[in-house]
Amino acid sequence: MVIKPTGLNISYEEKKQSQINGLAVFVFLILVIISSAAAVWMAIERINVVWIILELLVLNIIGLYVLLAFKVAEQWEKSIHLRLGRFVGLKGPGPFWIIPIVDTLPAWIDHRVMVTSFTAERTLTKDTVPVDVDAVLFWVVWDAEKAALEVENYRAAISWAAQTALREIIGQMELADILVGRARMDEELQHIIDDRTTPWGITVQSVEIRDVVIPAGLEDAMSRQAQAERERQARVILGESEEQIADSFAKAAESYRNNPTALHLRAMNMLFEGLKEKGAMVIVPSSAVDTMNLGGLMGMTAMTDMAQRLTNPDEGDSVDE
């Protein structure tokens, strides 16, 4: 089991805490410049030093307050507002003010759709086959208060919940069902994970199985099994074809049994088709010759051809040449 620590809540919070609003910095710098310029002018005008110090303190304190108290939340996020450790409310999106030292912003909740990849390595299926399954989880925070107050690190928690649910589903399914029933597996995973994350203010939009890896030996065995199954189907189809052909021949034999003339005509047609090709040789069983009187027919054909050659010897010689 592998957890990818990218994008954890703690790193996101540290990044937000370390960011200082650009507008607040600008106002602070302007006030510092104004206070410094005013102090120089008051010194040139020989104004009392007490007033100069007071002016510097007031403007710099105002600038420092703006720097520490002015915050801006992005359109897709909300901030958890605590005052002396107690939850006050949610801030954002947009600009807002806090009381420095008294107020804190411990969490910034992102309301965009988040993507978390998770895996289950060498997990046994119901028929005791170890598989590696890789999946992707799409989820969104719908209640920022619950996500911040009900669970310590909701990003890590949803990652662990997804992995345990994936292992649970794999243990309840056979390998064949996992390979061909990914849609049903996705729906069951989404239902299980969503039930676990709903108390945290998180809803699961979808779960997608990306890849299922099985051992190499088992993959080779399954390939041979599929090949053998295809060969079996091919032989079954060939046998059915032979059976249909045999039925057709049986029906034809019934038709020819009481009609010898049709049988002779069919035999002559077969001989004609075979002799049309140049240099073709047709082998006819002796039983067929006797039954269909082909011997007499071929003899008469040969005698007719010989008579034509004797009647027109010149034509025959030209043909022989």
Side-chain angles (χ1 to χ4, degrees):
M1 183 183 298
V2 177
I3 287 232
K4 297 183 179 180
T6 57
L8 291 180
N9 192 31
I10 184 64
S11 62
Y12 183 76
E13 304 306 332
E14 290 177 351
K15 182 180 71 172
K16 292 297 296 184
Q17 291 292 343
S18 63
Q19 287 181 351
I20 300 177
N21 182 262
L23 181 59
V25 174
F26 177 75
V27 173
F28 173 74
L29 293 176
I30 292 298
L31 290 176
V32 169
I33 294 172
I34 291 175
S35 65
S36 300
V40 172
W41 177 80
M42 293 174 69
I44 294 174
E45 294 295 329
R46 298 183 182 276
I47 298 177
N48 194 341
V49 177
V50 176
W51 290 106
I52 296 176
I53 295 175
L54 183 62
E55 178 268 335
L56 287 173
L57 288 175
V58 171
L59 291 180
N60 284 312
I61 289 175
I62 293 175
L64 186 61
Y65 174 78
V66 173
L67 183 64
L68 298 177
F70 184 74
K71 302 293 181 180
V72 176
E74 304 293 346
Q75 180 64 37
W76 56 83
E77 65 185 4
K78 290 184 179 180
S79 177
I80 303 299
H81 185 195
L82 300 181
R83 178 165 295 165
L84 296 178
R86 292 181 177 273
F87 176 75
V88 177
L90 300 174
K91 297 293 186 179
F96 60 92
W97 296 85
I98 63 172
I99 302 175
I101 302 175
V102 177
D103 294 344
T104 56
L105 304 174
W108 297 75
I109 308 300
D110 197 325
H111 283 280
R112 294 175 293 183
V113 176
M114 310 299 291
V115 181
T116 300
S117 60
F118 57 100
T119 60
E121 297 180 355
R122 300 191 62 80
T123 305
L124 292 179
T125 62
K126 187 177 181 180
D127 47 353
T128 65
V129 177
V131 295
D132 297 340
V133 180
D134 188 9
V136 178
L137 177 68
F138 297 88
W139 54 277
V140 64
V141 178
W142 57 270
D143 192 332
E145 180 181 351
K146 290 183 178 180
L149 303 181
E150 300 295 333
V151 61
E152 178 185 3
N153 189 330
Y154 65 90
R155 293 176 184 260
I158 196 171
S159 180
W160 281 106
Q163 289 192 12
T164 53
L166 179 59
R167 284 180 169 268
E168 180 180 345
I169 288 294
I170 293 174
Q172 296 175 357
M173 300 179 65
E174 295 184 356
L175 179 61
D177 296 334
I178 295 176
L179 295 177
V180 301
R182 293 192 180 185
R184 184 171 64 88
M185 188 175 178
D186 292 344
E187 294 178 359
E188 292 182 2
L189 273 174
Q190 178 182 354
H191 180 71
I192 294 175
I193 300 173
D194 191 62
D195 288 343
R196 296 179 181 178
T197 59
T198 297
W200 307 336
I202 299 171
T203 183
V204 177
Q205 292 189 340
S206 65
V207 181
E208 296 181 6
I209 303 297
R210 291 194 301 179
D211 192 18
V212 178
V213 180
I214 61 178
L218 180 60
E219 184 177 357
D220 184 60
M222 293 177 66
S223 176
R224 293 198 303 270
Q225 180 183 1
Q227 184 177 358
E229 179 64 21
R230 293 189 183 95
E231 184 177 355
R232 185 188 68 83
Q233 293 178 359
R235 294 192 177 189
V236 169
I237 294 173
L238 180 60
E240 293 176 352
S241 301
E242 293 290 341
E243 184 178 355
Q244 293 175 3
I245 293 172
D247 292 339
S248 300
F249 283 164
K251 292 179 181 178
E254 291 293 333
S255 300
Y256 289 139
R257 175 179 297 177
N258 300 321
N259 196 345
T261 303
L263 179 60
H264 291 171
L265 290 174
R266 177 57 180 160
M268 293 172 64
N269 180 260
M270 293 173 62
L271 287 174
F272 175 74
E273 294 292 336
L275 293 172
K276 278 197 308 183
E277 297 294 332
K278 184 177 180 180
M281 181 177 64
V282 177
I283 299 176
V284 181
S286 59
S287 59
V289 173
D290 296 336
T291 302
M292 295 183 290
N293 199 20
L294 293 179
L297 179 62
M298 289 187 288
M300 291 178 63
T301 304
M303 291 178 65
T304 302
D305 184 62
M306 184 178 294
Q308 290 179 354
R309 289 175 178 270
L310 293 175
T311 304
N312 301 315
D314 296 334
E315 182 180 353
D317 293 340
S318 63
V319 173
D320 293 336
E321 293 176 359

